[in-house]
């Protein structure tokens, strides 16, 4: 081995640059953050060739005095912290003093700056770490940094640059993050001389989202807000129909900084549980505020990851903030006029392709796509009514819903009578709701008249949803209510199944399933969840053991619990093909209004479709 030597400064900077500057977008991020730290109210980002040729950021911030210019590009030179304590209460975006030194070492950069109170500005050029200047120079108040030919002296890195479009995509992403976190700042992005985005100051976040993402999605966003002495969460979340196939549209900001955090990510997915199909991801924009000493931002060179001092608390607050809002919202999907139009068009013209050539799978796919379009961009129903009176009884564990929220005084208190049909199905009916007209069709759907039109309900999906919420509620309170069996049912099992059941005994108890060994290869079911009256215990347990064995070790306990709750709800619910009694239809419909999130079944499919009178009139050309 060679001798140990201290590396020369330019090499140190180059090495640091490897961490901080991955691609042009990283430069954009660092420079934008510097402008924000400088108090800029207007920032322009000019890009050429996806940033490979030029990145120029101009701001109207505090500027850099002539005497300090030289230091700006020195490594570990910063105006943002002075002493160690400052590191634990970071309020600026930067503090490591690395960005400019790194950028200067791997590009041809120029900095022109003037503080507002200085008569003349200064100019400094740095190329591959070699400095020229500073020299006095005319300058507007503020700072302009131009970065040319990034990685010109690190060919290996330059080779890894992608197409102009790809690099520009990354730049736009960084710009978007800054724009969402700083709605009060005027931001302009241009590429090869053409305007990409101009965001005037003082826009609402919803307006910015409309411009940067999609207007129709922005319109539908639901505001969230949650305050607590340690944490404040505000933001906008999208109803389930706007879900995406990836998590790219989940934006989380902590104290104004865009972060990626697996606890928060998990809480987001968890809060939409049951509302989305398995391969869909929610769209959310979250702005979290925490005391600066409750989080360590100095764990990642680009500061995109942080360490919370109490990540569990952050998780549960995020979960509650989103879930509260989803629970209060009627998420039933109105049919859009456009969708109705499309439907009648395709059936009359046969434009979709000949029947023979379209396979069943293709057809299913087409129908799914049509359904997705159906639900896309539909405005929330005007009659949407918060489920206030019911909310209290479905409160999540550890979930502090403000008790002083608006309450619906017009609604009489819940008087519940429990009706029991001859088949032992139990659905409780709130006595207060007025009877509506309804009809069961094909033993599968319920059609009901409501004030502004009709609802079409999938009876199985809705009942499944109702039972799921009841199970979920009971589970969150501790354990599911279990009904003791006078004569225990028995089930024959293999050794392996026996072990799986024994290992899961605690979880089964939480689910209200009480079992005991009853001979060498037999177990007895002593207690079974009271909500699952319709379900045959031995058969259910046999299925459950299969799930336990196939999932063991693959999923967390919590995921498994949810899977089992799903399975219970599905088995306990009425099926398509079941003829329902008057009473059952009535109570099912009545509970639709009461049960949280009844508009999607636990698998994320909608339970209810809404057709308004206006839409009917349009279809029949009455308007
Ligand atoms: P850091 O942001 O971590 O302090 P940088 O290398 O990004 O480190 O910047 C070094 C210093 O240069 C900053 O601390 C700041 O004082 C100054 N600076 C950089 N960009 C600007 C700007 N646009 N306006 C005013 N000062 C700036
Ligand atoms: Mg910086």
């Amino acid at each position: 081995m060679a001798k140990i030597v201290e590396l020369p400064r330019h090499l140190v900077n180059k090495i640091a640059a490897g961490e901080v500057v991955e691609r042009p977008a990283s430069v954009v991020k660092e420079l934008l953050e510097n402008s924000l730290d400088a108090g800029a109210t207007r920032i322009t980002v000019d890009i050429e060739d996806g940033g490979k040729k030029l990145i120029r950021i101009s701001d109207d911030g505090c500027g850099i005095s002539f005497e300090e210019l030289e230091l700006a590009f020195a490594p570990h030179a910063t105006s943002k912290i002075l002493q160690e304590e400052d590191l634990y209460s970071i309020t600026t975006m930067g503090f490591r003093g690395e960005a400019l030194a790194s950028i200067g070492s791997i590009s041809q950069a120029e900095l022109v700056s003037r503080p507002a109170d200085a008569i003349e500005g200064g100019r400094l050029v740095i190329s591959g770490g070699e400095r020229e200047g500073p020299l006095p120079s005319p300058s507007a108040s503020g700072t302009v940094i131009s970065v040319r030919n990034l990685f010109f002296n690190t060919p290996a890195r330059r080779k890894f640059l992608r197409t102009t479009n790809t690099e520009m995509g990354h730049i736009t992403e960084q710009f978007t993050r800054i724009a969402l976190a700083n709605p009060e700042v005027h931001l302009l992005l241009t590429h090869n001389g053409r305007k990409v985005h101009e965001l005037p100051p003082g826009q609402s976040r919803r307006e910015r989202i409309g411009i940067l993402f999609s207007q129709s999605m922005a319109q539908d966003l639901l505001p969230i807000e949650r305050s607590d002495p340690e944490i404040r969460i505000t933001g906008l979340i999208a109803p389930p129909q706007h879900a995406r196939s990836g998590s790219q549209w989940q934006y989380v900001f902590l104290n104004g900084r865009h972060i990626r955090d697996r606890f928060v990510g998990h809480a987001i997915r968890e809060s939409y549980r049951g509302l989305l199909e398995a391969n869909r991801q929610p769209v959310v924009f979250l702005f979290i505020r925490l005391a600066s000493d409750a989080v360590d931002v100095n764990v990642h060179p680009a500061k995109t990851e942080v360490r919370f001092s109490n990540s569990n608390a952050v998780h549960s607050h995020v979960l509650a903030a989103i879930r509260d809002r989803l629970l209060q919202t009627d998420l039933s999907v109105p049919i859009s006029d456009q969708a109705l139009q499309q439907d009648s068009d395709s059936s009359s013209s046969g434009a979709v392709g000949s029947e023979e050539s379209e396979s069943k799978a293709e057809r299913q796919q087409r129908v799914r796509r049509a359904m997705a379009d159906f639900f896309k961009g539909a405005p929330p129903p005007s009659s949407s009514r918060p489920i206030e009176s019911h909310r209290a009884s479905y409160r999540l564990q550890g979930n502090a819903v403000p008790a002083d929220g608006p309450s619906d005084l017009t609604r009489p208190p819940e008087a519940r009578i429990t009706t029991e049909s001859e088949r032992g199905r139990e659905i409780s009916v709130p006595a207060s709701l007025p009877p509506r007209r309804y009809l069961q069709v094909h033993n599968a759907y319920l059609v009901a008249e409501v004030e502004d039109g009709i609802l079409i309900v999938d009876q199985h999906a809705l009942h499944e949803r109702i039972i799921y919420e009841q199970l979920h509620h009971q589970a969150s309170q501790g354990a599911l209510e279990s009904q003791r069996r006078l004569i225990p049912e028995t089930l024959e099992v293999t050794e392996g199944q026996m072990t799986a059941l024994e290992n899961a005994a605690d979880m089964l108890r939480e689910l209200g399933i009480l079992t005991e060994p009853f001979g060498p290869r037999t177990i007895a079911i002593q207690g079974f969840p009271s909500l699952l009256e319709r379900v045959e215990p031995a058969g259910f347990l046999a299925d459950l053991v299969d799930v336990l064995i196939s999932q063991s070790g693959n999923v967390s306990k919590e995921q498994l619990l949810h899977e089992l709750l799903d399975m219970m709800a599905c088995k306990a619910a009425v099926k398509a093909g079941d003829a329902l009694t008057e009473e059952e239809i009535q109570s099912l419909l009545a509970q639709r209004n009461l049960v949280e999130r009844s508009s999607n079944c636990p698998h994320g499919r909608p339970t209810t479709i809404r057709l308004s009178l206006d839409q009917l009139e349009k279809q029949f050309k009455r308007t």
Side-chain angles (χ1 to χ4, degrees):
M1 280 222 299
K3 281 213 181 87
I4 302 177
V5 294
E6 258 187 83
L7 293 176
R9 185 194 255 205
H10 73 269
L11 200 49
V12 172
N13 290 346
K14 253 187 168 174
I15 291 171
E19 283 192 315
V20 181
V21 185
E22 193 193 336
R23 57 181 357 136
S26 337
V27 174
V28 172
K29 169 183 189 283
E30 293 294 337
L31 297 184
L32 276 172
E33 290 187 350
N34 280 346
S35 297
L36 291 171
D37 283 344
T41 62
R42 189 193 161 97
I43 309 174
T44 302
V45 182
D46 297 306
I47 305 294
E48 285 177 24
D49 284 355
K52 292 185 265 189
K53 195 164 160 206
L54 171 73
I55 297 163
R56 184 175 55 227
I57 310 243
S58 324
D59 69 48
D60 63 354
C62 66
I64 305 172
S65 70
F66 191 80
E67 303 76 55
E68 287 169 296
L69 269 182
E70 201 179 318
L71 264 183
F73 278 96
H76 310 297
T78 180
S79 56
K80 297 168 196 175
I81 56 173
L82 263 182
Q83 51 198 11
E84 193 182 338
E85 291 86 83
D86 300 343
L87 207 48
Y88 311 110
S89 56
I90 298 288
T91 54
T92 49
M93 303 297 287
F95 59 88
R96 294 167 60 109
E98 279 179 329
L100 290 188
S102 298
I103 293 167
S105 72
I106 48 167
S107 70
Q108 295 160 339
E110 179 199 55
L111 189 159
V112 179
S113 188
R114 177 171 72 81
D117 57 4
I119 298 159
E120 198 171 29
R123 174 170 179 270
L124 186 88
V125 174
I126 184 161
S127 174
E130 298 294 322
R131 209 173 51 234
E132 248 177 66
L135 289 172
S137 160
S139 165
S141 151
T143 303
V144 181
I145 301 189
S146 314
V147 176
R148 291 192 164 77
N149 305 323
L150 187 67
F151 299 139
F152 80 103
N153 56 348
T154 50
R157 301 298 295 273
R158 182 125 190 127
K159 228 173 46 205
F160 274 102
L161 288 176
R162 305 284 156 185
T163 62
T164 295
N165 275 343
T166 302
E167 295 301 341
M168 193 56 202
H170 288 285
I171 288 173
T172 309
E173 174 64 24
Q174 292 296 345
F175 178 87
T176 296
R177 294 175 182 176
I178 296 281
L180 290 176
N182 301 278
E184 69 292 346
V185 178
H186 186 159
L187 286 163
L188 173 64
L189 173 66
T190 74
H191 189 212
N192 294 336
R194 279 213 304 274
K195 186 161 90 184
V196 180
H197 286 304
E198 171 142 34
L199 304 167
Q203 281 180 311
S204 69
R205 292 210 161 101
R206 189 189 294 275
E207 285 171 305
R208 288 217 161 165
I209 292 168
I211 294 173
L212 296 164
F213 297 86
S214 135
Q215 290 292 358
S216 67
M217 188 264 288
Q219 270 172 21
D220 289 354
L221 291 172
L222 308 164
I224 61 165
E225 180 162 7
R226 185 180 176 86
S227 285
D228 185 272
E230 310 97 76
I231 188 168
R232 183 174 154 74
I233 301 173
T234 55
L236 293 159
I237 63 169
Q241 71 265 27
H242 291 288
R244 317 269 307 168
S245 58
S247 60
Q248 313 85 287
W249 287 16
Q250 287 168 15
Y251 284 83
V252 179
F253 298 87
L254 174 70
N255 296 346
R257 190 190 300 280
H258 175 272
I259 59 160
R260 290 228 168 260
D261 181 79
R262 63 196 178 88
F263 287 96
V264 177
H266 183 266
I268 292 170
R269 282 193 304 282
E270 225 16 64
S271 57
Y272 277 80
R273 182 185 279 285
L275 290 173
L276 302 177
E277 287 178 73
N279 54 352
R280 307 298 281 171
Q281 285 275 355
V283 174
V284 303
F285 302 88
L286 295 188
F287 302 88
I288 305 174
R289 293 246 154 230
L290 273 176
S292 52
D293 59 1
V295 55
D296 187 355
V297 291
N298 189 24
V299 294
H300 185 273
K303 303 171 226 103
T304 51
E305 279 165 31
V306 296
R307 195 175 292 138
F308 294 112
S309 57
N310 187 350
S311 41
N312 285 334
V314 173
H315 183 278
S316 65
H317 280 291
V318 168
L319 180 68
I322 301 179
R323 219 174 126 81
D324 269 5
R325 166 54 69 194
L326 292 171
L327 297 187
Q328 288 171 47
T329 308
D330 180 351
L331 301 169
S332 72
V333 181
I335 299 182
S336 72
D337 297 335
Q338 194 194 357
L340 284 173
Q341 203 58 53
Q342 277 171 3
D343 203 36
S344 51
D345 284 355
S346 58
S347 57
S348 56
S349 68
V352 195
S354 70
E355 288 294 329
E356 308 86 67
S357 63
E358 198 184 24
S359 73
K360 194 172 167 215
E362 282 170 335
R363 199 185 120 73
Q364 271 174 357
Q365 249 206 342
R366 178 172 63 77
V367 172
R368 280 174 78 91
R369 262 201 307 272
M371 291 291 273
D373 286 339
F374 230 65
F375 300 139
K376 215 174 13 195
S382 56
S383 66
S384 81
R385 201 163 20 145
I387 312 174
E388 289 298 342
S389 62
H390 191 60
R391 201 174 76 189
S393 62
Y394 277 91
R395 200 163 283 174
L396 294 164
Q397 198 174 27
N399 164 3
V401 182
D404 54 356
S407 68
D408 188 352
L409 295 176
T410 57
R411 188 175 301 185
E414 272 170 276
R416 286 165 162 266
I417 358 165
T418 299
T419 63
E420 210 167 320
S421 76
E422 61 283 33
R423 283 148 75 186
R425 231 175 269 153
E426 198 186 285
I427 303 171
S428 54
V429 193
S432 54
L433 287 183
R436 300 231 188 250
R437 281 194 275 193
Y438 45 79
L439 176 73
Q440 185 187 29
V441 297
H442 296 287
N443 283 349
Y445 300 101
L446 309 177
V447 180
E449 179 185 327
V450 287
E451 208 174 291
D452 61 340
I454 59 170
L455 299 180
I456 305 167
V457 172
D458 176 332
Q459 67 185 39
H460 170 69
L462 174 60
H463 197 206
E464 190 181 3
R465 156 58 53 195
I466 291 169
I467 296 175
Y468 177 83
E469 287 299 345
Q470 291 173 334
L471 290 170
H472 194 274
H473 169 66
Q474 283 192 7
S476 73
Q477 301 290 310
L480 298 190
E481 208 176 281
S482 180
Q483 189 144 29
R484 282 262 163 197
R485 304 242 137 196
L486 284 178
I487 306 158
E489 220 173 303
T490 55
L491 176 70
E492 231 190 286
V493 291
T494 65
E495 283 300 321
Q497 288 175 328
M498 182 73 104
T499 317
L501 281 172
E502 275 166 13
N503 290 343
D506 283 348
M507 182 186 295
L508 294 186
R509 207 165 308 122
E510 277 177 51
L511 291 171
I513 302 172
L514 312 175
T515 59
E516 258 169 38
F518 192 80
R521 299 258 304 263
T522 308
I523 57 153
I525 305 166
Q526 312 275 16
F528 203 64
S530 17
L531 281 168
L532 264 61
E533 253 181 342
R534 259 184 109 227
V535 179
E536 195 263 302
F540 179 81
L541 207 63
D543 288 351
L544 186 146
V545 180
D546 288 346
V547 174
L548 286 180
I549 290 176
S550 67
Q551 301 286 38
S552 84
N554 299 335
V555 295
S556 68
K557 189 198 147 205
E558 187 192 14
Q559 279 169 312
L560 187 58
L561 189 70
H562 277 286
E563 191 158 322
L564 295 178
L565 290 177
D566 275 1
M567 185 172 134
M568 287 180 160
C570 184
K571 299 223 177 214
V574 298
K575 304 282 176 299
D578 287 351
L580 302 183
T581 64
E582 284 280 291
E583 222 172 28
E584 287 170 332
I585 298 175
Q586 234 176 50
S587 53
L588 207 49
L589 290 176
Q591 290 201 79
R592 201 197 88 80
N593 292 328
L594 294 176
V595 172
E596 302 158 354
R597 312 199 282 183
S598 62
S599 30
N600 289 70
C601 79
H603 303 119
R605 285 181 282 113
T607 64
T608 306
I609 290 173
R610 181 185 291 265
L611 194 53
S612 72
L613 279 179
D614 284 355
Q615 289 169 321
L616 283 174
E617 279 167 11
K618 257 185 225 150
Q619 288 303 305
F620 290 113
K621 318 272 183 230
R622 292 176 68 168
T623 50

